[in-house]
Every structure is written in structure tokens, then in C-alpha cells.
């Protein structure tokens, strides 16, 4: 007899899937072997489950770090899936026949195999020399590979024609390309293993002619020519301790845009081809595509007439005929739609095209399908925390009150919102986008948290992927926090991780992050890092009791960081103009820190600010900001402020230094400054005494100082200046708030090129 039937396919090819089913109907095999990891045969029952909706994917991963993964995504038009479904429908046995995933995962992670190596995925499947074959092919045809494949293979009329053409293409590609040694060895090993599985099936009593093998077209020649793997060779294969799960997948992730090299650029369009083939007429595809495109374009608020759709179909057929294919391809349909509906611009149709060609389709797996322990834990907590009602596509608000509810007896109920907060923060740490936190609505209301929740099947994918880090949501979050902590390079990074652990209600993870933070704090750190770290730790000290967290171990570190910041602040103020913003931000954080805790010495902070505000050798913006903090805290008398303003804004002071000091002073407490008319009189006099060059230099800093002032604040300042200049305040405000003249605009434009090198 002629041996087993070898049917070469392109992964994610509608025509391959359709012609494959026709070939299976003709052959009626007892055993269907599909290219895929042979240790994942237990997933076949779920792939053929009647309630499963594609796309779905098998995710295989190692159980121990460093975690390595393999992904096997399938659409409804995947030939492998249709082979599995055909076997299920006709009572035939079906198995995967490729190397086990445990072997793939034991190989070097730099070269994992694709789910189905075939003649269509050069980025993932073959070496660079194979890629060059595709590039040469594109140069010769003038079309990208997807279009070439659709025009030459998707439109073939029957299973025999498809099998012969696809097999010939795979064989010629194999001959034209020369893989590197490692890839070539891997290919030989894979084909020897598949040949071994075929041989075992024959030895079990199944006639060769009753075995039907579905594999990438690239492998057909290898399965015809190579010898099967021996028992000794099979025993020598490396293996990793691994597991696998089935997960919903999305068409977006299936596109090559999401990084999966063997995917389609337009999976929704290829499903449309699958539907047309099953209707019995591939000629329906242009009508289906253009009507769906028109509907999506109308939904976006654009007008599309039926005549434009009809003309689009006619033009697409004309283009297909000119380019040598029986039916229009996606490239033809796109060109036609741009001409008839997009007025010559694809940008007008971009959103509609994305909806029609990719769509938002996401797979579904029914209850009872094997889940990872993380999935089970996720759904258990949704039910326990009464969050199941948020598992909808509708965006919903959730307001949490973290305070203990004394009106209930159960501790779980009393702390229900706090437990919800822990859960949602753990999802955030794991990048599971089920909930997003909103800013607090009330100043100082630390007991309130506000979230928006929305369920999408993408969330399911993210939950499954978190199984790579642990068996539960809490365990996975702990692993993620531990990895982040161990890769921290600064105390600010470690503090952010500690804060996340605190918000997640995970004291062990917080203790580990705190130990990392303490180790990093031994070395000298920049003032900005110290201030940010102290601010994050301050949050834990202030709100620890609210979140059932003991803050006592954190207090000594806050004191240590506060003292270090006080000792290094003056030196940090010896900085250039570009660094001053970071220093003043740190000063603001330290000021808020001291105000929040009685155990931090106020006298030390006040004396330090007085020293910074008084020194002339420091960055003047920092000195001005120190004065602003003192003024806000009521530690500056009117006489001292007047004297300092007079000293800093005097004719003998260089323009950039005086204006820089005022920029710092205006960084806080603006209404108190606006109310002091003497300050604006002094500033006006200072500017009047500057020559043109000095005025330009001062204007750079003053523009920056006033950039964040609100229109009402600027209006109040203009009225002050009107009073100083002896004109009507309202008229002065109107004059100063109007658009700049052409000459003034030219001056402002010149400031964009101002050279700070000599400041």
C-alpha cells in the first residue's frame, strides 16, 4: 500500500482546513495524527467540546523558574482544529504526534518551536536563509506573503489540487533554504519523532493507509524520507517539568501584530473566507467583506451608500483579474474599498478595516473545562467577595469603604471592602486588567477607594498567564513582587514594591521588599530617591492600621531617610537649572512628610529651610522654594519677607538669579503671594531696571514661573500691576490677558532657543 496519508497545510489557512475535511471525508481514516505536542493529548477532548468557541490556545509552561512557555493558538479555520473536530464527529481516534512540550521547554528558550511549523511563518519557523527566500519571493511577485498565499493557494478548487500545490511549495522551500545547524537538527529530531509515532500506530495494528497525518507542508518531505526515532534516541531527549492548560484567545493576539509570527494579519477576514467556503462559494467573500466594512464604517458615523459597496465589488473583481487570481484577495478588496468608500485615503477606513479584518472576537471555554489552580482561585474569590455581578462587558463603578463595619457580626463581612481592595490590588500587580483604580474624590479621605470594573475575555487570558507565577492569585502576586524586589536598583523602586505589597495586604512580601529597601539604603542615594521613598513609607505608617498592617517596623526607616534627606538637602541645592525641579519636588515631599508625623523633628526642618532660603551660593529657585514653604508654615515674618524680596530682586542681582528665585517663591501658596501688593511692586520695579538683554534672560524664568498659574490667578496679578502702574485694574487685566502681538510673539519664539549653558 502507499503508506499513511500525509496532508501538508499552512497553519491558520481556511482553504487548508476546508480541503483537509474533504480529504478526510474521502479517506475515512481510523487514526488522525496532528502536528502538536504529543503529551497534550488530554486537551483534545476540550478542543472538541461542543460549547468551546474559537480562538483558543494551549499554554504549556515549566513549573519552576525561570519559567518558559509554549503557546499553541487555534482558530476555527485552523486545519489542526478541523482535523480534531472531524475525528470527534466521525468516531476516529485522534492524537498529537510532535515532540512533547516538555522536550520543547527543555531546549534553549531562544529557539522554541511554533505550534505548527509550516511553509508560511518565516519569522518563527525557519532560519534567516528561509526568510531570504520569502523576501525574494515577495520581490518577484510584488506582493507580501499573505497576499501571495491567498492568491495562489486559498483559491485552489479541490483537496487534491491543494494538497499537491502545498506539498510542492513546502518541498521547494525546504530545498531553497538552508537552515542553521541547530534548527536543522531540531527539524530532523521533530520529524524522526513524528515518524516514530506513525510507526508505533502501524505496529499497534492500524493499517498504514488508514492513518491520516496533518502537518506543516515544510515537513512532508521529511516524513516521507527520514527514519523514525529509536527507543534509545527517544529516551535521550531532555525533558522539563511542565504542565499545560487551555485558555481563551483573541483574534488580536492571533495577528502578527501581537508578536505571534505564524498568525494572520487579518484573522476575522480569514474566518470570513472559511464561512464562504462552507457556503459552497468563495465568490461570496467579496460581498461579505465589503458589506461588513461598510456597516462598520457607518457605525463609526460615516456615510456609505449601497452604490459604493456595489462599485467596490466590481472594482475588486477587476483588480483580481488583472493580478491573476480567480477571486479578489484582501489586498484587492482593500484597494477597491479605499477607492470607492475612502476617497483615496485608507486612513478614513482604518477603524472600520480593523473591525472587519481583525475584530474584537475572543474565544470562550465552558464551565467544566480544565482550569489552572489560579483560575479556580480567581473565580472562587469573585464569588466569595461578591464581585461576580461585575463580570460583564459593561463598565461599572465600585466604591469601597475600608473602615471596619461595626454593625455586622462576621469579621469577613465587617472587612468585606478591605478584602475586595486587597484582591483588586493583587490583580493590578499581576497586570490583570479587570479593574482600574480612580483618584480619591475627597482630600484626606484615606478610607475610600474608587474603582472601575469591566470584564473582557482578555482578562481570562491574563488570569491564565498568571499561572506561570503561582497556584493562587496571592501566590502569583507574591512571586511577581519578589521578582520586582530582587531586580530593584534604587530605594525608590524598592519602596514602590513595598507600597504595592502593603496595598495588596501581603505582609510577608512587604517584609521582603523592606529588607531589600534597607539593603539599598546603605549606599548613598540621590535626594529625589530618598524623598520619594520616605513619602511611600509614610503612607504605610499613616494608613497601616486601616489596612490591618503593623507599621512599627517602618517607622525607624522613615526616621533614617528623613535624617539623611536633611543632611544632604543643602548640598543637593548646589545644582544647575535643569536639576532644580527635581530638588524642589523632593523638598515638597519632605515637607509633607514632616507635617504628617510628630516623630520627625520640626525644628530641624525649619532651621534647614531657613539656611537654604538665606544662602546666596545655592540654586536660587531652591532658595525661593524654601522661602515659600516657610511662608506657608507661618515661619516668616512680613519684615523678613520684605527684606528678602528687596535683596533678591535688586538691580545688582543678575536677571536669571532674581527671576529664578521668584520662580521658586511662586511654586507654593500663590494666593498668599497675590495678596501681597508690596511683592508685585518690588518685582515690577526690578524688571523696570533691567536692560533689554537682562530682561530677556529674566523672562525665561518668569514664563516658567507663571506657566501653571490659573487664568483667574493671572487676572488677579494683572489687577495688582494695574494698581501699581496707576491705571484702571480691570483695563490692565484685559490688556495683559490678551493675545500677544506679532512682535511679542517673535520675542517669545526667540526664548525657545535660549541658551542656558552660561547660567
Amino acid at each position: 500500500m502507499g503508506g499513511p496519508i500525509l496532508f501538508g497545510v499552512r497553519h491558520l489557512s481556511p482553504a487548508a482546513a476546508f480541503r483537509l475535511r474533504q480529504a478526510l471525508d474521502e479517506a475515512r481514516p481510523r487514526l488522525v495524527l496532528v502536528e502538536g505536542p504529543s503529551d497534550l493529548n488530554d486537551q483534545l477532548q476540550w478542543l472538541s467540546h461542543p460549547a468551546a468557541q474559537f480562538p483558543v490556545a494551549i499554554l504549556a509552561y515549566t513549573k519552576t523558574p525561570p519559567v518558559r512557555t509554549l503557546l499553541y493558538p487555534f482558530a476555527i479555520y485552523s486545519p489542526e482544529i478541523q482535523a480534531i473536530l472531524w475525528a470527534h464527529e466521525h468516531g476516529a481516534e485522534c492524537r498529537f504526534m510532535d515532540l512533547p512540550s516538555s522536550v520543547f521547554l527543555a531546549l534553549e528558550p531562544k529557539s522554541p518551536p511554533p505550534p505548527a511549523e509550516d511553509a508560511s511563518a518565516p519569522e518563527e519557523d525557519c532560519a534567516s536563509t528561509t526568510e531570504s527566500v520569502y523576501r525574494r519571493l515577495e520581490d518577484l511577485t510584488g506582493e507580501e506573503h499573505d497576499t501571495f498565499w491567498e492568491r495562489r493557494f486559498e483559491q485552489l478548487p479541490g483537496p487534491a489540487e491543494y494538497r499537491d500545490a502545498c506539498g510542492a511549495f513546502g518541498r521547494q522551500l525546504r530545498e531553497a533554504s538552508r537552515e542553521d545547524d541547530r534548527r536543522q537538527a531540531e527539524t530532523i529530531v521533530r520529524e524522526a519523532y513524528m515518524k516514530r509515532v506513525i510507526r508505533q500506530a502501524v505496529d499497534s495494528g492500524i493499517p498504514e493507509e488508514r492513518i491520516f497525518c496533518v502537518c506543516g507542508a515544510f515537513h512532508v518531505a521529511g516524513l516521507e524520507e527520514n527514519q523514525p526515532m529509536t527507543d534509545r534516541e527517544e529516551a535521550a531527549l531532555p525533558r522539563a517539568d511542565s504542565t499545560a492548560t487551555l485558555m481563551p484567545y483573541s483574534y488580536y493576539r492571533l495577528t502578527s501584530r501581537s508578536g505571534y509570527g505564524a498568525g494572520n494579519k487579518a484573522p476575522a477576514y480569514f474566518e470570513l473566507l472559511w464561512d464562504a467556503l462552507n457556503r459552497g462559494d468563495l465568490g461570496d467573500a467579496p460581498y461579505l467583506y465589503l458589506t461588513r466594512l461598510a456597516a462598520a464604517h457607518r457605525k463609526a458615523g460615516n456615510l456609505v451608500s449601497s452604490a459604493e459597496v456595489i462599485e467596490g465589488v466590481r472594482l475588486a473583481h477587476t483588480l483580481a483579474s488583472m493580478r491573476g487570481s480567480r477571486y479578489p484577495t484582501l489586498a484587492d478588496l482593500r484597494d477597491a474599498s479605499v477607492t470607492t468608500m475612502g476617497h483615496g485615503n485608507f486612513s478614513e477606513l482604518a477603524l472600520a478595516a480593523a473591525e472587519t479584518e481583525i475584530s474584537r472576537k475572543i474565544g470562550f471555554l465552558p464551565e467544566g473545562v480544565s482550569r489552572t489552580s489560579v483560575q479556580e482561585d480567581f473565580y472562587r474569590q469573585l464569588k466569595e467577595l461578591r464581585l461576580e455581578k461585575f463580570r460583564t462587558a459593561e463598565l461599572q463603578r465600585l466604591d469601597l469603604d475600608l473602615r471596619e463595619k461595626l454593625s455586622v457580626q462576621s469579621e469577613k463581612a465587617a472587612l468585606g471592602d478591605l478584602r475586595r481592595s486587597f484582591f483588586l490590588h493583587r490583580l493590578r500587580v499581576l497586570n490583570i486588567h479587570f479593574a482600574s483604580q480612580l483618584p480619591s474624590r475627597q482630600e484626606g479621605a484615606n478610607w475610600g477607594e474608587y474603582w472601575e470594573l469591566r470584564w473582557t475575555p482578555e482578562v481570562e487570558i491574563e488570569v491564565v498567564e498568571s499561572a506561570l507565577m503561582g497556584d493562587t492569585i496571592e501566590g502569583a502576586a507574591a512571586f511577581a513582587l519578589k521578582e520586582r524586589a530582587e531586580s530593584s536598583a534604587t530605594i525608590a523602586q524598592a519602596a514602590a514594591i513595598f507600597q504595592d505589597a502593603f496595598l495588596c495586604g501581603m505582609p510577608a512580601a512587604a517584609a521582603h521588599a523592606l529588607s531589600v529597601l534597607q539593603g539599598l539604603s546603605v549606599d548613598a542615594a540621590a535626594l529625589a530617591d530618598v524623598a520619594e521613598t520616605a513619602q511611600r513609607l509614610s503612607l504605610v505608617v499613616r494608613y497601616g492600621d486601616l489596612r490591618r498592617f503593623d507599621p512599627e517596623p517602618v517607622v525607624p526607616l522613615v526616621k533614617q531617610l528623613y535624617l539623611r534627606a536633611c543632611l544632604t538637602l543643602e548640598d543637593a541645592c548646589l545644582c544647575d537649572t535643569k536639576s532644580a525641579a527635581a530638588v524642589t519636588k523632593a523638598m515638597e515631599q519632605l515637607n509633607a512628610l514632616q507635617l504628617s508625623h510628630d516623630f520627625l523633628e520640626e525644628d530641624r526642618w525649619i532651621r534647614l529651610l531657613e539656611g537654604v532660603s538665606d544662602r546666596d551660593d545655592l540654586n536660587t529657585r531652591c532658595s525661593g522654594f524654601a522661602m515659600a514653604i516657610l511662608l506657608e508654615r507661618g515661619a516668616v515674618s512680613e519684615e523678613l519677607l520684605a527684606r528678602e524680596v528687596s535683596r533678591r530682586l535688586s538691580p545688582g542681582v543678575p536677571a536669571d538669579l532674581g527671576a529664578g528665585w521668584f520662580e521658586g517663591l511662586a511654586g507654593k501658596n500663590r494666593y498668599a503671594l497675590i495678596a501681597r501688593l508690596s511683592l508685585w511692586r518690588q518685582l515690577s520695579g526690578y524688571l523696570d531696571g533691567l536692560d533689554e538683554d537682562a530682561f530677556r534672560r529674566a523672562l525665561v524664568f518668569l514664563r516658567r514661573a507663571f506657566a501653571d498659574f490659573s487664568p483667574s490667578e493671572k487676572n488677579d496679578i494683572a489687577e495688582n500691576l494695574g494698581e501699581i502702574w496707576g491705571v484702571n485694574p480691570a483695563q490692565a487685566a484685559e490688556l495683559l490677558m490678551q493675545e500677544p502681538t506679532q512682535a511679542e510673539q517673535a520675542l517669545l519664539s526667540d526664548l525657545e532657543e535660549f541658551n542656558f549653558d552660561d547660567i
Side-chain angles (χ1 to χ4, degrees):
M1 303 296 288
I5 300 171
L6 303 178
F7 198 99
V9 299
R10 182 196 189 200
H11 188 57
L12 295 169
S13 164
F18 186 75
R19 301 308 177 190
L20 170 65
R21 287 196 69 113
Q22 290 180 323
L24 286 166
D25 286 337
E26 182 180 340
R28 295 285 172 174
R30 281 178 51 187
L31 172 64
V32 178
L33 295 177
V34 177
E35 184 181 329
S38 55
D39 59 341
L40 302 184
N41 285 324
D42 58 333
Q43 301 295 337
L44 292 174
Q45 59 175 317
W46 304 116
L47 290 172
S48 57
H49 195 288
Q53 297 177 17
F54 294 90
V56 299
I58 300 175
L59 176 69
Y61 55 94
T62 55
K63 293 182 179 179
T64 57
V67 175
R68 295 192 295 277
T69 63
L70 288 175
L71 193 67
Y72 299 86
F74 302 104
I76 188 63
Y77 55 86
S78 293
E80 298 87 349
I81 284 300
Q82 289 304 319
I84 294 167
L85 293 177
W86 186 94
H88 177 75
E89 293 162 7
H90 292 82
E93 187 180 356
C94 185
R95 301 179 210 154
F96 285 130
M97 64 173 178
D98 205 348
L99 285 172
S101 62
S102 59
V103 174
F104 282 134
L105 290 167
L107 301 175
E108 287 187 28
K110 290 184 179 179
S111 57
E117 185 170 347
D118 54 47
S120 63
E123 292 86 1
E124 297 292 331
D125 295 333
C126 305
S128 59
T129 51
T130 305
E131 293 175 20
S132 66
V133 173
Y134 279 94
R135 286 195 295 270
R136 292 201 304 271
L137 187 60
E138 290 178 354
D139 291 340
L140 288 171
T141 62
E143 296 180 322
E144 65 175 5
H145 184 67
D146 272 7
T147 303
F148 166 79
W149 188 272
E150 184 185 357
R151 202 180 298 283
R152 305 301 174 192
F153 294 88
E154 296 296 318
Q155 300 178 5
L156 291 170
E161 291 88 345
Y162 184 91
R163 178 185 172 189
D164 291 344
C166 196
F169 184 85
R171 184 174 287 101
Q172 291 172 15
L173 177 65
R174 192 181 182 100
E175 293 171 355
S177 62
R178 291 292 178 268
E179 299 173 315
D180 60 46
D181 292 343
R182 178 176 176 77
R183 175 65 73 177
Q184 188 173 15
E186 186 177 302
T187 298
I188 292 172
V189 170
R190 290 180 65 190
E191 292 168 351
Y193 188 91
M194 288 189 270
K195 197 72 174 284
R196 171 187 173 84
V197 173
I198 296 171
R199 176 53 55 195
Q200 287 175 333
V202 173
D203 291 344
S204 70
I206 301 176
E208 285 188 345
E209 64 274 12
R210 301 299 305 279
I211 300 173
F212 196 106
C213 301
V214 182
C215 63
F218 188 85
H219 292 299
V220 171
L223 293 180
E224 290 175 342
E225 300 164 5
N226 294 340
Q227 295 301 310
M229 182 179 289
T230 65
D231 292 346
R232 182 177 178 181
E233 291 169 337
E234 193 273 340
L237 292 173
R239 285 177 170 82
D241 188 15
S242 62
T243 189
T245 185
L246 203 61
M247 59 190 277
Y249 212 61
S250 70
Y251 269 173
Y252 172 72
R253 290 193 174 207
L254 203 58
T255 65
S256 53
R257 300 180 193 182
S258 67
Y260 177 64
N264 297 131
K265 288 184 178 179
Y269 168 75
F270 280 97
E271 183 179 345
L272 181 150
L273 292 183
W274 167 251
D275 292 339
L277 284 165
N278 281 280
R279 289 184 183 189
D281 188 0
L282 195 58
D284 287 348
Y287 299 93
L288 293 172
Y289 174 85
L290 289 170
T291 52
R292 292 181 188 181
L293 181 70
H297 202 41
R298 289 178 186 131
K299 188 177 180 180
N302 301 289
L303 296 176
V304 181
S305 68
S306 299
E308 289 174 323
V309 176
I310 295 170
E311 286 304 312
V313 172
R314 291 174 177 170
L315 179 56
H317 277 286
T318 301
L319 290 172
S321 178
M322 292 172 60
R323 293 165 176 172
S325 59
R326 296 172 61 206
Y327 303 107
T329 65
L330 177 58
D332 303 326
L333 293 168
R334 266 199 173 190
D335 289 345
S337 62
V338 167
T339 302
T340 60
M341 300 182 207
H343 307 101
N345 299 308
F346 177 73
S347 58
E348 292 191 24
L349 293 171
L351 291 177
E355 187 67 33
T356 308
E357 296 171 13
I358 300 174
S359 85
R360 303 174 188 178
K361 186 170 185 177
I362 300 176
F364 172 78
L365 293 169
E367 294 290 335
V369 173
S370 177
R371 286 175 172 167
T372 64
S373 56
V374 165
Q375 287 172 286
E376 297 290 354
D377 182 58
F378 176 81
Y379 287 108
R380 178 188 62 79
Q381 293 198 58
L382 279 188
K383 184 175 182 180
E384 185 179 305
L385 297 172
R386 298 184 178 180
L387 294 174
E388 285 182 306
K389 65 180 180 180
F390 295 97
R391 195 174 169 226
T392 68
E394 179 186 356
L395 185 67
Q396 300 182 69
R397 294 286 294 271
L398 174 64
D399 295 350
L400 301 179
D401 184 339
L402 307 184
R403 296 172 293 188
E404 183 177 1
K405 295 175 178 60
L406 302 178
S407 59
V408 295
Q409 294 181 347
S410 165
E411 182 181 357
K412 281 188 175 182
L415 301 176
D417 276 2
L418 179 61
R419 293 168 58 236
R420 292 185 187 97
S421 173
F422 289 158
F423 177 67
L424 296 178
H425 278 293
R426 290 168 187 174
L427 297 183
R428 176 180 58 81
V429 164
L430 290 170
N431 290 318
I432 297 173
H433 296 92
F434 177 47
S436 57
Q437 190 175 7
L438 302 173
S440 178
R441 298 178 199 159
Q442 295 174 268
E443 186 70 27
N446 53 67
W447 46 264
E449 276 190 359
Y450 310 98
W451 297 80
E452 286 183 340
L453 285 74
R454 173 186 282 158
W455 176 264
T456 67
E458 290 283 355
V459 172
E460 181 92 33
I461 297 172
E462 293 164 349
V463 172
V464 172
E465 290 174 341
S466 69
L468 305 178
M469 293 180 280
D471 295 330
T472 64
I473 292 295
E474 182 177 359
F479 181 86
L481 290 169
K482 182 174 182 290
E483 278 203 327
R484 284 173 55 196
E486 291 177 350
S487 63
S488 298
T490 67
I491 58 173
Q493 291 174 348
I497 297 158
F498 175 77
Q499 182 179 337
D500 277 343
F502 163 70
L503 295 173
C504 290
M506 299 169 61
H512 179 260
L514 190 62
S515 66
V516 172
L517 195 159
Q518 289 171 325
L520 291 170
S521 68
V522 172
D523 299 326
L527 176 68
D529 280 347
V530 172
E532 182 179 345
T533 301
Q535 184 185 48
R536 291 184 183 277
L537 298 182
S538 171
L539 176 75
V540 176
V541 174
R542 283 182 287 157
Y543 306 147
D545 291 342
L546 181 69
R547 303 187 74 90
R548 299 299 188 272
F549 189 94
D550 181 13
E552 286 305 313
V554 184
V555 173
L557 188 54
V558 173
K559 291 180 178 179
Q560 174 190 334
L561 293 170
Y562 173 73
L563 179 59
R564 175 178 292 187
C566 289
L567 294 174
T568 59
L569 177 60
E570 287 196 73
D571 287 341
C573 291
L574 288 165
C575 61
D576 58 18
T577 301
K578 293 179 181 178
S579 303
V583 175
T584 54
K585 178 183 176 182
M587 292 169 67
E588 174 68 7
Q589 291 172 325
L590 292 169
N591 184 57
L593 177 72
Q594 196 285 313
L595 287 170
S596 301
H597 303 291
D598 294 337
F599 57 77
L600 300 179
E601 302 174 70
E602 182 180 13
D603 290 345
R604 175 188 289 275
W605 179 241
I606 296 297
R607 290 196 304 271
L608 178 61
L609 290 173
E610 289 173 344
V612 172
S613 68
D614 189 57
R615 285 179 60 175
D616 293 339
D617 59 332
L618 304 180
N619 183 285
T620 53
R621 179 177 175 182
C622 297
S623 296
F625 194 74
M627 175 61 71
I629 295 176
L630 290 169
L631 184 63
E632 185 180 59
R633 296 182 68 134
V636 177
S637 66
E638 291 295 328
E639 293 77 14
L640 176 58
L641 177 62
R643 188 166 63 249
E644 194 67 10
V645 170
S646 178
R647 183 170 74 87
R648 296 286 188 173
L649 300 179
S650 63
V653 176
D656 47 281
L657 300 183
W661 180 86
F662 182 82
E663 179 185 2
L665 182 67
K668 284 181 69 66
N669 207 23
R670 292 172 181 168
Y671 282 108
L673 296 179
I674 292 171
R676 287 173 166 83
L677 190 62
S678 59
L679 171 66
W680 302 99
R681 182 174 286 110
Q682 185 71 29
L683 178 62
S684 178
Y686 171 70
L687 294 175
D688 288 341
L690 299 177
D691 59 30
E692 183 177 351
D693 184 60
F695 176 76
R696 286 172 177 265
R697 295 169 68 86
L699 195 55
V700 173
F701 295 88
L702 293 175
R703 283 190 75 202
R704 196 164 57 201
F706 290 116
D708 295 332
F709 276 61
S710 68
S712 63
E713 289 170 339
K714 293 177 181 178
N715 188 74
D716 291 340
I717 294 170
E719 290 184 357
N720 281 346
L721 294 175
E723 185 172 341
I724 292 169
W725 297 335
V727 298
N728 184 289
Q731 291 178 338
E734 183 180 353
L735 177 65
L736 293 174
M737 295 293 286
Q738 70 183 11
E739 290 295 320
T741 65
Q742 187 173 357
E744 291 167 341
Q745 188 62 52
L747 174 61
L748 295 176
S749 299
D750 290 342
L751 295 178
E752 303 296 335
E753 306 298 327
F754 189 83
N755 184 8
F756 283 90
D757 293 342
D758 59 345
I759 294 179

XYZ file of all heavy atoms in Angstrom, residues 207-233:
213
model
N -3.656 -0.251 9.891
C -3.036 -0.265 8.552
C -2.520 1.132 8.175
O -3.137 2.144 8.504
C -4.183 -0.703 7.634
C -5.151 -1.400 8.535
C -5.051 -0.718 9.855
N -1.400 1.164 7.483
C -0.801 2.443 7.104
C -1.766 3.322 6.334
O -1.841 4.537 6.544
C 0.462 2.209 6.260
C 1.656 1.744 7.044
C 2.914 1.726 6.191
O 2.785 1.791 4.949
O 4.020 1.669 6.757
N -2.529 2.713 5.436
C -3.410 3.512 4.584
C -4.599 4.085 5.362
O -5.323 4.939 4.848
C -3.911 2.684 3.400
C -4.779 1.506 3.788
C -3.966 0.255 4.114
O -2.720 0.376 4.249
O -4.576 -0.816 4.222
N -4.813 3.606 6.615
C -5.904 4.131 7.433
C -5.413 5.199 8.415
O -6.144 5.604 9.316
C -6.572 2.998 8.219
C -7.152 1.893 7.358
C -8.249 2.391 6.422
N -9.321 3.085 7.113
C -10.330 2.476 7.738
N -10.392 1.144 7.769
N -11.283 3.183 8.307
N -4.158 5.640 8.239
C -3.584 6.686 9.097
C -3.489 7.974 8.281
O -2.952 7.975 7.162
C -2.188 6.289 9.622
C -2.287 4.999 10.449
C -1.587 7.420 10.447
C -0.940 4.441 10.872
N -3.997 9.030 8.828
C -4.014 10.328 8.144
C -3.222 11.321 8.996
O -3.556 11.570 10.157
C -5.457 10.806 7.985
C -5.651 11.910 6.987
C -6.236 11.667 5.756
C -5.248 13.215 7.274
C -6.433 12.689 4.828
C -5.427 14.232 6.360
C -6.016 13.982 5.121
N -2.156 11.890 8.429
C -1.268 12.789 9.170
C -1.427 14.227 8.668
O -1.311 14.480 7.462
C 0.194 12.364 9.005
S 0.527 10.691 9.567
N -1.659 15.139 9.586
C -1.783 16.562 9.272
C -0.552 17.269 9.821
O -0.321 17.279 11.037
C -3.053 17.165 9.897
C -3.183 18.632 9.521
C -4.282 16.372 9.471
N 0.231 17.866 8.937
C 1.474 18.520 9.371
C 1.749 19.735 8.489
O 1.140 19.906 7.428
C 2.649 17.551 9.307
S 3.016 16.962 7.638
N 2.676 20.553 8.928
C 3.100 21.668 8.109
C 3.692 21.177 6.806
O 4.390 20.161 6.760
N 3.398 21.897 5.723
C 3.873 21.463 4.407
C 5.387 21.328 4.367
O 5.929 20.519 3.611
C 3.408 22.461 3.345
N 6.073 22.085 5.193
C 7.532 22.033 5.256
C 8.021 20.644 5.663
O 9.128 20.234 5.311
C 8.017 23.084 6.253
C 9.502 23.289 6.289
C 10.117 24.157 5.402
C 10.297 22.629 7.210
C 11.489 24.365 5.439
C 11.663 22.830 7.251
C 12.259 23.699 6.363
N 7.189 19.895 6.415
C 7.629 18.620 6.984
C 7.258 17.405 6.144
O 7.679 16.294 6.459
C 7.028 18.446 8.384
C 7.571 19.401 9.391
N 8.890 19.457 9.744
C 6.940 20.358 10.132
C 9.068 20.396 10.660
N 7.904 20.973 10.907
N 6.470 17.593 5.104
C 6.005 16.437 4.336
C 7.178 15.631 3.780
O 7.229 14.401 3.914
C 5.056 16.884 3.203
C 4.755 15.711 2.269
C 3.765 17.453 3.775
N 8.124 16.321 3.169
C 9.277 15.613 2.592
C 10.066 14.880 3.668
O 10.538 13.752 3.454
C 10.179 16.606 1.853
N 10.218 15.499 4.841
C 10.950 14.857 5.922
C 10.262 13.596 6.417
O 10.928 12.592 6.719
N 8.932 13.619 6.487
C 8.207 12.432 6.936
C 8.227 11.334 5.878
O 8.075 10.146 6.200
C 6.759 12.805 7.280
C 6.587 13.723 8.492
C 5.117 14.015 8.737
C 7.214 13.115 9.736
N 8.407 11.706 4.633
C 8.499 10.710 3.565
C 9.881 10.054 3.539
O 10.003 8.864 3.226
C 8.215 11.357 2.215
C 6.761 11.763 2.016
C 6.534 12.516 0.721
O 7.535 13.029 0.141
O 5.376 12.605 0.279
N 10.934 10.818 3.903
C 12.304 10.355 3.669
C 13.034 9.924 4.931
O 13.838 8.988 4.897
C 13.101 11.480 2.988
C 12.509 11.911 1.645
C 13.038 13.252 1.171
O 13.941 13.795 1.847
O 12.546 13.762 0.145
N 12.808 10.586 6.067
C 13.606 10.320 7.269
C 13.161 9.044 7.973
O 12.033 8.571 7.806
C 13.517 11.496 8.238
C 14.174 12.741 7.661
O 14.986 12.644 6.753
N 13.808 13.906 8.180
N 14.064 8.517 8.787
C 13.796 7.300 9.541
C 13.178 7.653 10.898
O 13.417 8.717 11.455
C 15.097 6.518 9.764
C 15.721 5.986 8.492
C 14.776 5.054 7.757
O 14.216 4.114 8.351
N 14.582 5.290 6.456
N 12.368 6.733 11.454
C 11.776 7.005 12.763
C 12.814 6.985 13.877
O 13.854 6.337 13.767
C 10.752 5.879 12.921
C 11.206 4.794 12.013
C 11.894 5.475 10.864
N 12.530 7.713 14.943
C 13.403 7.774 16.114
C 13.403 6.423 16.828
O 12.357 5.782 16.976
C 12.913 8.878 17.054
C 13.762 9.092 18.285
S 13.112 10.450 19.303
C 13.523 11.859 18.266
N 14.572 5.995 17.277
C 14.680 4.725 18.001
C 14.313 4.921 19.468
O 14.237 6.053 19.970
C 16.101 4.171 17.902
O 16.996 5.075 18.591
C 16.546 4.037 16.448
N 14.117 3.793 20.168
C 13.812 3.855 21.600
C 14.947 4.532 22.365
O 14.704 5.321 23.292
C 13.597 2.447 22.155
C 12.327 1.802 21.620
O 11.495 2.536 21.050
O 12.174 0.580 21.770
N 16.171 4.240 21.997
C 17.328 4.820 22.693
C 17.384 6.330 22.474
O 17.652 7.098 23.401
C 18.608 4.158 22.173
C 19.869 4.654 22.848
C 21.078 3.896 22.318
N 22.297 4.381 22.923
C 23.515 3.924 22.630
N 23.644 2.947 21.731
N 24.578 4.427 23.226
N 17.115 6.755 21.242
C 17.122 8.190 20.957
C 15.985 8.905 21.682
O 16.165 10.011 22.196
C 17.002 8.409 19.446
C 18.239 7.976 18.675
C 18.008 7.940 17.168
O 16.829 7.824 16.750
O 18.997 8.003 16.413
